């Protein structure tokens, strides 16, 4: 391995947009701890190197905990307990080169081993029994899911950055494994100065899914801010960290300047709080780790008992996941003795994929977890796990953004509405957008197809490059036949439903196979009808035409929006149980317009 690394870190104490973005090549040395008694020595050496003006990038495994306190129980580690590469200086971040490489050789991860629901339910019940018995207040329970990477790790890291931007990201080529972390959670940011350092921890505890509409999204954020269960989960960890930080803090300096703040991530809302302190003169990096590690947000409270239970419930080591990944660097010019002040920033490596070569394959592991308290409900916690893993599912397979337009005699139907929806999807997925270039591509295609009726597929790839394809559009005989799905459409809340992309396997699984059936009417786990596999649905019931609201989980179709604007339909929840009362059906999309339909029953 080359031991090259890169970091893209938020600067948590900065009010500007500047980020700590660097790449590193050819380390002067690599510091590794394979045994517990070596961990403190590695951290001391890292601190000394930064005092000498060098940059150190690396990780500390969750299983290193006992190096700081023998009472903190874990499984035996499956790799180095601490690993740091030491560099003379950082190099500039090369965004363009990385994006170009990712576009030329995209990565795909096939996940073949996921957590099982029955084991999850059993573990949750055991945790709540222990809470009821007064043994602890909270346990952060986790499980890995595993897969195989096809393609270069750099391309997967680029995709993960697009899926989870703006946090504390690092790509470490660390010996026999690669760590691809896009964690949104700050473990600690510490600056050491002779008169006493400044220390900030920002634990992330409390989760809610993003809403399907702006109104629903705001409601989800407000619920997260105010829900007693979420606030209790957060404050337990804040109290734990206040206690941990007091070990190295100047008297009366531990403060909580921000409590219950909400942070919007692409697939979830997260609740964070800030805990700050002034560290005592003479505090070292090892002292900070000894006081804080592992972060309480990934253990539970009290930490010792929670980690005992984690070891009993989780059958394998966590590894880098739930440990710490970060950078230790000089802060400012040297003093008269040639020593620099030291700055250290570490994330809590959630939202992290670890790669290893096994049997000629590149195996990928990603952990997912949540804090279990007395009020936790199994269905809600399991749903939270699915929302949290959405970031890696987004990055696991390359996809393009997609719009399907009707081109009639050289003119596009509802062109502006389609471009507005495409621009919204580009903003959501972090895809570069140049509206003028997209419009030029459509104009060129229209000039080449000035006569007749055409179905146009407009695609936008991860680099923001558009392409358009035209296919002859055949007329559709009406009425069209629809069939009702025989099982729930569990992907209804997915971002790949709210936004139109080329990733459509969740729809393809419901495509009709019966001859003569045009499309399948889908319904969500609550029994609410949502849409078809390639268009929206309307129903005549109680004397009015209705179409399901976006909150049920469906694509905001352009044809649907036109029908709503014209007053042809209104939004209303339509349930499977209501089907016998429906007097008429319609299929709607921008390409084919309003098609009268019948439903096979």
């Amino acid at each position: 391995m080359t031991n090259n690394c890169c970091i893209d870190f938020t600067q948590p104490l900065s009010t500007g947009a500047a980020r700590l973005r660097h790449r590193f090549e050819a380390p002067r040395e690599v510091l590794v701890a394979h045994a517990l008694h070596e961990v403190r020595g590695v951290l001391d050496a890292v601190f000394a190197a930064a005092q000498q003006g060098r940059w150190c990038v690396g990780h500390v495994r969750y299983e290193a905990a006992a190096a700081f306190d023998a009472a903190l129980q874990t499984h035996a580690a499956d790799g180095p307990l601490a690993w740091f590469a030491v560099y003379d200086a950082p190099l500039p971040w090369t965004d363009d080169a990385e994006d170009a490489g990712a576009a030329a050789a995209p990565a795909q991860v096939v996940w073949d081993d996921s957590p099982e629901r029955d084991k999850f339910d059993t573990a949750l019940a055991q945790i709540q029994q222990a809470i009821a018995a007064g043994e602890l207040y909270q346990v952060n329970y986790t499980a890995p899911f595993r897969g195989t990477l096809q393609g270069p790790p750099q391309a997967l890291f680029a995709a993960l950055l697009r899926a989870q931007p703006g946090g504390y990201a690092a790509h470490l080529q660390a010996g026999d494994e690669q760590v691809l972390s896009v964690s949104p959670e700050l473990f600690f940011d510490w600056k050491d100065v002779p008169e006493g350092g400044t220390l900030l921890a920002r634990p992330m505890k409390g989760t809610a899914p993003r809403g399907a509409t702006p109104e629903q999204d705001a409601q989800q954020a407000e619920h997260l801010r105010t829900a007693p269960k979420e606030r209790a989960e957060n404050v337990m960890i804040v109290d734990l960290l206040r206690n941990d930080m007091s070990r190295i803090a100047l008297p009366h300096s531990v403060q909580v300047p921000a409590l219950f703040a909400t942070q919007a991530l692409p697939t979830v809302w997260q609740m964070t709080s800030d805990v700050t302190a002034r560290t005592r003169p003479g505090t070292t990096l090892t002292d900070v780790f000894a006081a804080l590690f592992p972060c309480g947000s990934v253990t539970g409270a009290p930490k010792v008992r929670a980690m005992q239970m984690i070891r009993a419930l989780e059958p394998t080591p966590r590894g880098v996941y739930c440990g710490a990944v970060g950078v230790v660097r000089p802060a400012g010019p040297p003093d008269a003795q040639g020593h620099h002040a030291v700055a250290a920033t570490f994330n809590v490596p959630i939202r992290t994929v670890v790669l290893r070569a096994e049997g000629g394959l590149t195996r990928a592991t990603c952990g997912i977890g949540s804090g279990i308290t007395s009020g936790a409900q199994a269905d809600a916690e399991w749903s939270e796990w699915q929302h949290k893993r959405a970031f890696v599912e987004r990055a696991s397979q390359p996809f393009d953004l997609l719009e399907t337009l009707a081109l009639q005699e050289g003119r596009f139907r509802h062109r502006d509405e389609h471009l507005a929806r495409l621009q919204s999807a580009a903003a959501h997925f972090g895809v570069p957008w140049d509206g003028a270039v997209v419009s030029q591509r459509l104009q060129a295609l229209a000039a080449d197809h000035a006569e007749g009726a055409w179905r146009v597929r407009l695609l936008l790839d991860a680099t923001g490059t558009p392409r358009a394809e035209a296919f002859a559009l055949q007329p559709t005989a009406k009425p069209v036949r629809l069939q009702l799905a025989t099982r729930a459409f569990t992907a209804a809340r997915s971002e790949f439903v709210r936004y139109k992309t080329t990733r459509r396997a969740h729809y393809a699984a419901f495509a009709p196979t019966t001859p003569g059936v045009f499309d399948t009417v889908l319904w969500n786990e609550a029994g609410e009808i949502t849409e078809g596999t390639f268009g929206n649905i309307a129903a005549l019931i109680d004397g009015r035409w209705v179409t399901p609201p976006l909150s049920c989980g469906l694509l905001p179709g352009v044809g649907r929006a036109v029908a709503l604007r014209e007053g042809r339909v209104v939004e209303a929840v339509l349930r499977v149980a209501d089907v016998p009362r429906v007097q008429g059906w319609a299929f709607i999309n921008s390409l084919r317009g309003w098609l009268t339909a019948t439903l096979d029953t």
Side-chain angles (χ1 to χ4, degrees):
M1 300 295 294
T2 60
N3 295 323
N4 293 339
C5 302
C6 65
I7 59 169
D8 181 9
F9 273 24
T10 296
Q11 298 194 68
L13 297 176
S14 172
T15 57
R19 296 181 62 79
L20 195 64
R21 306 181 83 201
H22 296 292
R23 60 188 177 91
F24 301 87
E25 296 180 358
R28 62 182 293 124
E29 63 177 323
V30 176
L31 304 169
V32 184
H34 293 285
L36 288 170
H37 70 270
E38 298 171 335
V39 173
R40 287 174 174 263
V42 165
L43 293 176
D44 287 342
V46 166
F47 186 59
Q51 287 179 316
Q52 295 165 13
R54 299 190 176 97
W55 290 61
C56 306
V57 183
H59 66 73
V60 179
R61 257 176 168 72
Y62 175 83
E63 287 75 29
F68 310 111
D69 184 345
L72 301 177
Q73 297 182 12
T74 69
H75 291 288
D78 59 354
L81 292 167
W83 183 98
F84 285 87
V86 182
Y87 302 90
D88 287 327
L91 298 171
W93 178 275
T94 52
D95 214 359
D96 293 341
E98 185 163 332
D99 284 347
Q108 178 173 337
V109 182
V110 178
W111 299 103
D112 52 28
D113 182 11
S114 297
E116 299 175 11
R117 177 62 193 267
D118 58 343
K119 293 181 179 178
F120 174 87
D121 288 351
T122 299
L124 187 141
Q126 290 180 256
I127 292 169
Q128 292 191 317
Q129 287 173 6
I131 293 172
E135 298 177 28
L136 33 65
Y137 305 108
Q138 180 182 161
V139 174
N140 193 75
Y141 176 63
T142 77
F145 61 106
R146 299 180 176 88
T148 302
L149 171 65
Q150 301 167 357
Q154 292 82 357
L156 178 59
F157 183 61
L160 288 167
L161 279 174
R162 290 192 297 271
Q164 185 77 72
Y168 302 87
H171 181 187
L172 312 182
Q173 298 184 24
D176 294 331
E177 61 187 3
Q178 296 196 44
V179 178
L180 285 59
S181 180
V182 290
S183 174
E185 182 172 4
L186 175 69
F187 180 19
F188 68 82
D189 185 83
W190 175 59
K191 183 175 180 181
D192 171 56
V193 292
E195 63 273 17
T198 58
L199 179 63
L200 164 67
R202 186 170 287 160
M204 183 173 282
K205 219 69 195 151
T207 306
R210 298 299 301 268
T213 66
E215 295 77 16
Q216 191 181 60
D217 201 37
Q219 291 171 1
Q220 294 284 59
E222 180 62 20
H223 172 76
L224 179 61
R225 277 191 293 268
T226 58
K229 183 261 182 186
E230 305 294 348
R231 291 168 72 93
E233 184 179 338
N234 189 281
V235 79
M236 287 177 194
I237 302 308
V238 168
D239 285 345
L240 187 156
L241 278 170
R242 289 174 63 223
N243 182 67
D244 285 352
M245 290 172 75
S246 68
R247 300 186 196 174
I248 52 173
L250 290 169
H252 312 298
S253 70
V254 178
Q255 305 291 329
V256 183
L259 189 64
F260 306 142
T262 50
Q263 179 179 348
L265 301 177
T267 59
V268 293
W269 284 98
Q270 297 271 195
M271 182 184 289
T272 66
S273 295
D274 284 6
V275 187
T276 62
R278 295 292 306 278
T279 54
R280 302 184 192 117
T283 298
T284 67
L285 180 66
T286 300
D287 294 331
V288 177
F289 267 87
L292 303 182
F293 189 84
C295 183
S297 64
V298 293
T299 62
K303 185 182 286 187
V304 170
R305 181 66 185 102
M307 290 183 66
Q308 289 172 351
M309 193 152 202
I310 288 167
R311 186 181 184 281
L313 293 175
E314 298 181 15
T316 58
R318 290 180 172 183
V320 177
Y321 172 63
C322 293
V325 170
V327 56
V328 186
R329 61 200 186 278
D335 60 18
Q337 288 74 42
H339 291 166
H340 295 260
V342 174
T345 308
F346 282 82
N347 73 19
V348 179
I350 57 174
R351 317 293 198 273
T352 295
V353 178
V354 175
L355 304 176
R356 279 184 172 178
E358 295 180 10
L361 301 174
T362 301
R363 296 291 292 170
T365 303
C366 181
I368 298 292
S370 61
I372 308 301
T373 60
S374 61
Q377 300 294 319
D379 286 346
E381 295 297 328
W382 183 254
S383 177
E384 181 177 317
W385 279 29
Q386 309 317 304
H387 292 303
K388 285 180 174 178
R389 68 178 281 178
F391 88 98
V392 76
E393 291 176 339
R394 182 196 289 190
S396 294
Q397 297 180 34
F399 62 91
D400 295 336
L401 307 185
L402 171 66
E403 290 292 323
T404 306
L405 299 83
L407 177 62
Q408 185 82 33
E409 306 302 331
R411 295 178 62 86
F412 286 103
R413 185 185 304 153
H414 308 312
R415 171 187 176 278
D416 291 346
E417 290 91 335
H418 281 285
L419 291 185
R421 190 172 70 173
L422 184 62
Q423 183 177 6
S424 175
H428 175 78
F429 287 109
V431 173
W433 172 259
D434 188 328
V437 172
V438 175
S439 295
Q440 289 168 9
R441 185 67 196 91
L442 283 179
Q443 290 168 5
L445 184 108
D448 292 337
H449 301 78
E451 298 181 353
W454 302 89
R455 174 174 63 90
V456 173
R457 279 169 53 91
L458 174 61
L459 300 154
L460 196 69
D461 70 16
T463 68
T465 302
R467 65 185 188 278
E469 309 163 327
F471 306 89
L473 179 60
Q474 303 299 326
T476 305
K478 297 180 285 187
V480 296
R481 282 176 62 197
L482 305 176
Q483 66 180 19
L484 188 66
T486 58
R487 64 186 187 280
F489 183 53
T490 58
R493 309 296 180 184
S494 166
E495 60 186 340
F496 290 100
V497 166
R498 299 197 308 273
Y499 297 93
K500 192 170 184 178
T501 76
T502 55
R503 188 180 296 181
R504 298 184 56 80
H506 47 292
Y507 285 122
F510 287 83
T513 57
T514 303
V517 174
F518 184 72
D519 201 5
T520 302
V521 177
L522 306 174
W523 45 277
N524 63 26
E525 292 172 297
E528 301 164 337
I529 288 174
T530 60
E531 59 182 338
T533 68
F534 60 95
N536 293 116
I537 298 297
L540 178 62
I541 186 169
D542 298 332
R544 61 175 185 167
W545 282 99
V546 303
T547 190
L550 298 181
S551 59
C552 292
L554 52 127
L555 180 74
V558 170
R560 172 185 178 277
V562 171
L564 284 167
R565 186 170 65 238
E566 293 175 349
R568 192 168 187 177
V569 296
V570 296
E571 287 187 334
V573 174
L574 181 67
R575 300 181 182 279
V576 173
D578 298 326
V579 167
R581 298 193 297 114
V582 173
Q583 300 159 299
W585 292 92
F587 173 94
I588 321 167
N589 71 10
S590 175
L591 182 67
R592 301 180 185 278
W594 179 287
L595 303 178
T596 56
T598 61
L599 180 69
D600 290 355
T601 56

